[in-house]
Amino acid sequence: MTFTNRFRTVPVAGMLRRLFVLRLYAIAGQTLAITGVNFGLDIRLPLLPMLMVVVLLVLLNLATWVRLAQPWPVTAMEFFAQLLVDVTALTTLLFYSGGSTNPFVSLYLLPIIVAAITLPALYAWALTTICVAAYSFLMFFYLPLDMPHGAAAFALHVAGMWLNFIASAVLITFFIGRMAASIRGRERELAEARETGLRNEQIVALGCLAAGAAHELSTPLATMAVVAGELQYQHGDDPALAANLQILRNQVTACKAILTRLTATGGAGRAEDARLLPVDIYLDELVAQWQLVRPAIGLQTRWEGIRPAPNILAEATLGQALLSLFNNAADAAPFAVELEARWDSRELTLDILDRGQGFNQEAAARAGEVFFTTKQAQGGIGLGLFLANASIERLGGSVRMLPREGGGAHIVVCLPLHEPRTP
């Protein structure tokens, strides 16, 4: 449960846990101060009411510990009430120990700082008003301390101010530092959520464009298939031309199959078409499918891993993502593509290596952005790597782009695996 003030969002449940820890230090410090002043400095204090206040704080912290184990969210009002109890306890202790003349009276600043950072402005101003009113009350109503007169009393007061400064500085550094770290972590999460939302919007928009393109491309592809068939029939006496026309027909058929899968799976590919396959069999099938489309590629493959091989979730979007990365490597260096796979029981690491131009500094920084491409001369539009990244990350994997030793590109794909089923 979170609450937003004018500048930032803070998780209140986390702050209540930190307040619980802070109160533990406060209880220990109050107990030490009361006993030390009464017995060490021989300044008589009303021990019974003061120690009762400390006991009530102990009981409150026990209740807070039980409360933190409950599933329901912490509200701003609840957190404000906790701070209000601390202010009341501090006021009571100060009332019995000199009021506004007590050097520890500046501890009122701690709950004010906590409220200003964690709570909405209304609660923060309310607690500030209460603390000011309590301080003002203690200027006129309190039990004076039985202290020595003269220089000794002043020295004790200065020593008390020194101890108060040390305690306040330590507590503020600890508590405010932890809250600041929590806030920075929350801001990072929000930034990542915004980036994810923006990328999801781009993917949805691309999905709509892909559906429209699939519908529009079906007619020209059908026409191309018919024309290529007629030309092959008419020029059957020319073996070289007939072979080229057959390659053209195979490519058109592959394009039609891709469009058919696109329109058939849509957004439900993972739910309906996903299946668990041994990772070595899946890679063999994927490479065989790729070589049907790119038969002239100079390819080397090497698979290494435990046997029997663990399973991978073989869904349509994952195959399309990996094929897109394979094609990028083939476009960069069609006669020097290497695929190396290593796996254990939990993860597959797939290395895609080529001897092309590789990535320069700008390309490495912007790789994966939508509509950014280094293949303008080859008609690239900057979608393959973006969609491959999105698909692989959606499955819990990752894609890294590295320069290859000796020149070229090195793409590292990591994907989660599943334990093989026992027959």
Side-chain angles (χ1 to χ4, degrees), residues 221 224-229 232 241-259 261 289-295:
L221 283 175
M224 292 168 62
V226 172
V227 173
Q232 188 178 18
L241 181 57
N244 290 333
L245 290 172
Q246 184 60 45
I247 293 174
L248 178 60
R249 293 185 65 185
N250 291 339
Q251 297 300 310
V252 170
T253 302
C255 291
K256 291 176 66 176
I258 292 172
L259 291 180
R261 288 198 302 270
Q289 178 185 345
W290 182 48
Q291 288 187 307
L292 287 177
V293 181
R294 307 290 291 261

Side-chain angles (χ1 to χ4, degrees), residues 87 107-117 124 127-128 131-132:
V87 171
L107 288 176
Y108 277 121
L109 292 174
L110 286 178
I112 292 175
I113 292 172
V114 172
I117 293 179
L127 191 70
T128 301
C131 290
V132 171

Side-chain angles (χ1 to χ4, degrees), residues 62-397:
L62 287 175
T64 303
W65 178 66
V66 175
R67 165 66 184 88
L68 288 171
Q70 306 307 313
W72 56 81
V74 178
T75 64
M77 175 61 76
E78 181 181 353
F79 192 76
F80 173 78
Q82 292 261 351
L83 291 175
L84 189 59
V85 172
D86 289 326
V87 171
T88 304
L90 178 61
T91 303
T92 305
L93 292 175
L94 291 173
F95 173 80
Y96 286 109
S97 57
S100 60
T101 64
N102 192 311
F104 289 92
V105 71
S106 60
L107 288 176
Y108 277 121
L109 292 174
L110 286 178
I112 292 175
I113 292 172
V114 172
I117 293 179
T118 59
L119 293 176
L122 179 63
Y123 291 102
W125 281 109
L127 191 70
T128 301
T129 303
I130 293 171
C131 290
V132 171
Y135 196 138
S136 303
F137 170 81
L138 291 174
M139 292 182 67
F140 304 99
F141 304 98
Y142 59 89
L143 295 181
L145 292 174
D146 184 17
M147 296 183 63
H149 299 285
F154 181 75
L156 288 175
H157 187 81
V158 170
M161 293 176 61
W162 175 71
L163 289 174
N164 176 49
F165 173 78
I166 293 176
S168 300
V170 171
L171 292 176
I172 289 175
T173 301
F174 169 77
F175 194 75
I176 305 304
R178 295 290 295 271
M179 285 194 296
S182 176
I183 291 169
R184 288 192 294 269
R186 182 69 175 174
E187 290 175 348
R188 285 194 298 269
E189 292 175 1
L190 291 174
E192 292 174 359
R194 284 192 295 268
E195 292 179 2
T196 301
L198 178 60
R199 187 177 64 180
N200 289 340
E201 290 178 3
Q202 293 173 332
I203 291 173
V204 170
L206 290 172
C208 295
L209 291 174
H215 179 70
E216 294 176 8
L217 288 172
S218 59
T219 299
L221 283 175
T223 303
M224 292 168 62
V226 172
V227 173
E230 293 180 352
L231 289 174
Q232 188 178 18
Y233 177 76
Q234 294 174 2
H235 299 278
D237 54 346
D238 188 341
L241 181 57
N244 290 333
L245 290 172
Q246 184 60 45
I247 293 174
L248 178 60
R249 293 185 65 185
N250 291 339
Q251 297 300 310
V252 170
T253 302
C255 291
K256 291 176 66 176
I258 292 172
L259 291 180
T260 301
R261 288 198 302 270
L262 175 64
T263 55
T265 57
R270 182 185 178 99
E272 296 178 359
D273 294 338
R275 53 186 178 138
L276 288 175
L277 278 179
V279 64
D280 53 347
I281 296 177
Y282 174 74
L283 291 173
D284 289 337
E285 291 182 357
L286 191 65
V287 169
Q289 178 185 345
W290 182 48
Q291 288 187 307
L292 287 177
V293 181
R294 307 290 291 261
I297 296 300
L299 177 64
Q300 296 181 13
T301 61
R302 182 166 64 252
W303 314 146
E304 297 178 356
I306 61 175
R307 307 287 177 169
N311 294 323
I312 189 170
L313 190 65
E315 67 159 353
T317 57
L318 175 60
Q320 292 168 357
L322 294 178
L323 288 175
S324 178
L325 296 177
F326 295 170
N327 285 326
N328 283 346
D331 292 339
F335 301 108
V337 177
E338 300 178 27
L339 301 179
E340 299 179 358
R342 304 176 305 280
W343 62 81
D344 53 24
S345 60
R346 294 183 298 176
E347 186 178 66
L348 163 68
T349 301
L350 177 62
D351 297 309
I352 306 170
L353 305 106
D354 64 63
R355 288 297 183 186
Q357 296 181 352
F359 300 104
N360 57 31
Q361 187 173 1
E362 179 190 6
R366 298 188 59 192
E369 293 183 10
V370 65
F371 300 128
F372 173 77
T373 181
T374 59
K375 301 188 296 181
Q376 293 90 345
Q378 298 169 318
I381 59 176
L383 292 180
L385 192 54
F386 170 77
L387 293 176
N389 270 326
S391 300
I392 292 172
E393 289 177 2
R394 183 174 64 87
L395 297 173

